[in-house]
Amino acid sequence: RKVGDRQGQELLKEMRRRGWKASETGALVIVAEGLETARLRTDGAITALKVGGFPAAQVYTTPTKTNDIPGSQQAAKSFLETKKFKNWVVAGMNDNTVLGGIRATEDHGYAAENVIGIGINGVD
C-alpha cells in the first residue's frame, strides 16, 4: 500500500511541477482487482491522489485482463475513447501496466508533455 501511496504522491508532485491545472487533468489507474497486492498498490495511489487534492470525480479505474503492456494498453485504449482531458496521469500495479497506459495515450494522440506515468517495481 505504501508503494502505491508514494506513486500517487509523486504523480501529484510532477503534475504540480509542470503547472498543470487539475480541471484539465484526468487520472487513469489500471487495476488488476483479482490480485491483492495489485489492489493494495492501486488503492494506495488513488487514495494519495485524492488526499493530495486531486478531484475525486476525475480519478478513473479500468481493469486489465493481463498485467503486461499489451493487456493494459488495450484496457486503457478502450477507456480513453470515453473521456477527454488535456493531460493524463497514469498509475498501475507495476511498470508494465503503466507503460501500457502510456502507449494507449500515444495511440490517442497525446504528446509526451501531456502525460505522466510512474511505474512501481522497476521491471522495465
Side-chain angles (χ1 to χ4, degrees):
R1 172 97 190 198
K2 289 182 180 181
V3 174
D5 289 339
R6 179 70 185 269
Q7 182 184 39
Q9 292 164 3
E10 292 299 322
L11 286 167
L12 284 171
K13 185 176 171 182
E14 180 62 18
M15 187 180 128
R16 290 178 179 133
R17 188 190 72 74
R18 293 184 186 195
W20 289 3
K21 295 179 185 177
S23 62
E24 299 175 339
T25 306
L28 176 57
V29 182
I30 301 165
V31 299
E33 296 169 349
L35 298 171
E36 182 179 358
T37 301
R39 185 183 47 75
L40 289 171
R41 288 178 178 188
T42 53
D43 285 354
I46 291 166
T47 299
L49 286 167
K50 291 177 182 178
V51 168
F54 196 90
Q58 291 167 218
V59 177
Y60 305 98
T61 62
T62 189
T64 182
K65 292 180 182 176
T66 60
N67 298 323
D68 56 10
I69 293 171
S72 58
Q73 182 176 2
Q74 184 57 49
K77 188 174 179 179
S78 297
F79 172 82
L80 289 169
E81 293 171 3
T82 68
K83 302 288 182 201
K84 303 292 181 207
F85 285 95
K86 178 180 179 184
N87 306 305
W88 283 98
V89 295
V90 181
M93 56 121 359
N94 62 20
D95 293 344
N96 289 336
T97 54
V98 174
L99 286 169
I102 297 301
R103 297 242 172 96
T105 62
E106 292 170 343
D107 292 342
H108 280 276
Y110 288 93
E113 59 266 13
N114 297 100
V115 181
I116 302 167
I118 297 177
I120 288 182
N121 63 349
V123 173
D124 293 328

